[in-house]
Amino acid sequence: MFPIPLQRDFSLRSLNTFGIEAQARAYLPVAGADILLAVKNSPELAALPRLILGGGSNLLLTQDFPGLVLHMRSTGMTVIDSDEDTVHVRAAAGESWHGLVMWTLAQGLGGLENLALIPGSVGAAPIQNIGAYGVELKDRFHSLTAFDFISGEMLTLDRATCRFGYRDSIFKHALRDRAVVLDVTFALPKKWQANMHYADVMQELSQRQITAPSPQDIAAAVIAIRTRKLPDPAQIGNAGSFFKNPIVSAAQRDSLLAQYPQLVSYVQPDGGYKLAAGWLIDQCGWKGRSLGAAGVYEKQALVLVNKGGATGKEIAALAQAIQADVQERFGVRLEPEPVFI
Ligand code: EPU
């Protein structure tokens, strides 16, 4: 039988960017599909609840995990082919997302620069269709390979099949707890065009007196903005934006705008409006406040932080208190972005 390097009662503290202590009943590093097949074929392991772990940057551990953590550790990034318009790049699930962005830029390939410095792994990126500064993963996505825990076979999924939405995909719905992403293929444009519509990026570039930016210039601007606004998980535990920006009807947005002329909202293709959750939370006075060791980051109200030794339950209690205030004041429900265990 395939040797399975299983570890029991494994601490997940260093594997989640909140830095929260919790134990997994069992833990396996995964370098490729063969080990997933071995898990599927083991009656003992296949019966356990599974948690697929990438960079642990979208995870809130509120308790020990009573199952098997599969930690994606596969590596490799390659240019696989190119045609007149597009270069295809494939990266293994265990690669760091930011590492991939910087590697593509070093190869002279633009397209991922607006997504620089997002924490997490390549394999996790499609699950929530990561996005920042006017670009989402789906805009550069070609296809992915995944292991199917039901059939034991490999699936190849194209963009339409992945059903990408705002921080959403098929992996949060029909393929939840079923598909494990093994590698992702990106389609990068040969005729690169800067995407600097986002006000913060435009402002940063103009401060740097850059009018015709290269992909590297945009990456440098995005890195500077993120470093200023968002806490570095290596310094202070966090999972990026803790809530999604809520989408409301035009009627609800209009009535809120009449009451709050400063409301930050963005029109959506379907006529609805995305509201800035950070603004809503800020207005409720939460920015910089804490409940125990769980806090709201002082420079960006959408980010919850572990001020040192916080438990997942403390972070969850803070999140609930914020949700209740935003609901009461604005009638808007905030939905958390991270996966709760
Ligand atoms: N705002 C406030 N107070 C705050 C925070 C924000 O008033 O404390 C206002 C800002 O002034 C701005 C608006 O809210 O007018 C939006 O803020 P920002 O541009 O910082 O972006 P965001 O909506 O808070 C989203 C993503 C980020 C992504 C940035 C840039 C979500 C949930 N978050 O944040 O993604 O980096 O846009 O594109 O969509 C993440 O998902 O983990 C993440 C960091």
Side-chain angles (χ1 to χ4, degrees):
M1 197 184 132
F2 189 88
I4 301 180
L6 194 74
Q7 300 189 55
R8 292 184 196 270
D9 302 323
F10 190 87
S11 169
L12 298 173
R13 186 180 190 140
S14 66
L15 300 182
N16 71 99
T17 58
F18 261 122
I20 286 166
E21 174 52 31
Q23 302 260 315
R25 185 160 146 206
Y27 167 90
L28 251 185
V30 176
D34 47 2
I35 201 138
L36 298 175
L37 192 59
V39 168
K40 176 178 160 48
N41 291 336
S42 151
E44 184 213 340
L45 296 181
L48 291 173
R50 279 187 297 275
L51 171 65
I52 312 300
L53 186 65
S57 55
N58 196 43
L59 179 65
L60 181 64
L61 294 162
T62 66
Q63 56 185 357
D64 289 340
F65 182 63
L68 172 62
V69 168
L70 295 169
H71 188 195
M72 305 310 288
R73 304 290 286 156
S74 52
T75 56
M77 300 183 276
T78 17
V79 173
I80 50 171
D81 60 37
S82 69
D83 59 29
E84 216 174 293
D85 306 317
T86 313
V87 180
H88 291 118
V89 167
R90 182 169 296 156
E95 289 285 354
S96 103
W97 174 264
H98 180 64
L100 169 67
V101 174
M102 298 318 277
W103 181 83
T104 54
L105 293 174
Q107 309 301 305
L109 302 170
L112 299 181
E113 58 283 346
N114 293 53
L115 305 176
L117 213 60
I118 296 183
S121 64
V122 167
I127 312 295
Q128 58 159 349
N129 182 27
I130 59 169
Y133 306 104
V135 176
E136 287 184 341
L137 169 120
K138 74 167 167 48
D139 303 324
R140 305 287 181 259
F141 179 90
H142 177 268
S143 58
L144 60 75
T145 315
F147 176 81
D148 179 356
F149 254 107
I150 297 206
S151 67
E153 286 174 2
M154 301 292 233
L155 307 172
T156 300
L157 278 74
D158 64 12
R159 180 168 24 187
T161 316
C162 289
R163 296 181 174 274
F164 292 121
Y166 169 58
R167 299 293 190 275
D168 200 28
S169 73
I170 194 170
F171 304 102
K172 290 189 169 185
H173 304 281
L175 292 182
R176 192 190 165 128
D177 297 329
R178 173 169 175 179
V180 182
V181 176
L182 293 169
D183 60 57
V184 183
T185 302
F186 299 88
L188 304 180
K190 272 202 171 158
K191 291 177 193 120
W192 178 83
Q193 280 189 324
N195 183 331
M196 44 180 181
H197 310 309
Y198 208 92
D200 282 358
V201 176
M202 227 160 8
Q203 213 178 345
E204 182 69 29
L205 289 167
S206 82
Q207 263 165 26
R208 294 170 177 229
Q209 301 185 322
I210 297 172
T211 46
S214 67
Q216 281 83 355
D217 290 333
I218 296 203
V222 166
I223 289 169
I225 298 164
R226 291 191 75 100
T227 307
R228 271 202 305 271
K229 275 199 172 176
L230 299 167
D232 175 358
Q235 311 286 333
I236 176 158
N238 76 92
S241 296
F242 195 88
F243 299 101
K244 295 187 201 176
N245 285 326
I247 294 170
V248 300
S249 67
Q252 190 174 2
R253 178 260 188 182
D254 290 347
S255 95
L256 283 170
L257 193 62
Q259 248 182 305
Y260 304 97
Q262 308 295 320
L263 183 82
V264 183
S265 66
Y266 314 92
V267 69
Q268 299 301 292
D270 67 358
Y273 281 83
K274 194 186 264 186
L275 305 182
W279 186 87
L280 301 173
I281 298 168
D282 203 349
Q283 293 299 302
C284 292
W286 275 107
K287 198 186 224 168
R289 271 177 64 192
S290 307
L291 276 186
V296 179
Y297 191 52
E298 67 271 12
K299 294 182 203 159
Q300 162 57 291
L302 201 44
V303 178
L304 304 192
V305 295
N306 176 356
K307 300 184 76 172
T311 62
K313 286 197 167 71
E314 277 179 294
I315 305 271
L318 173 61
Q320 266 175 21
I322 292 170
Q323 279 172 315
D325 279 4
V326 169
Q327 179 78 51
E328 192 185 307
R329 177 139 176 209
F330 298 103
V332 173
R333 189 183 144 65
L334 292 183
E335 198 188 320
E337 223 185 77
V339 172
F340 281 52
I341 294 295

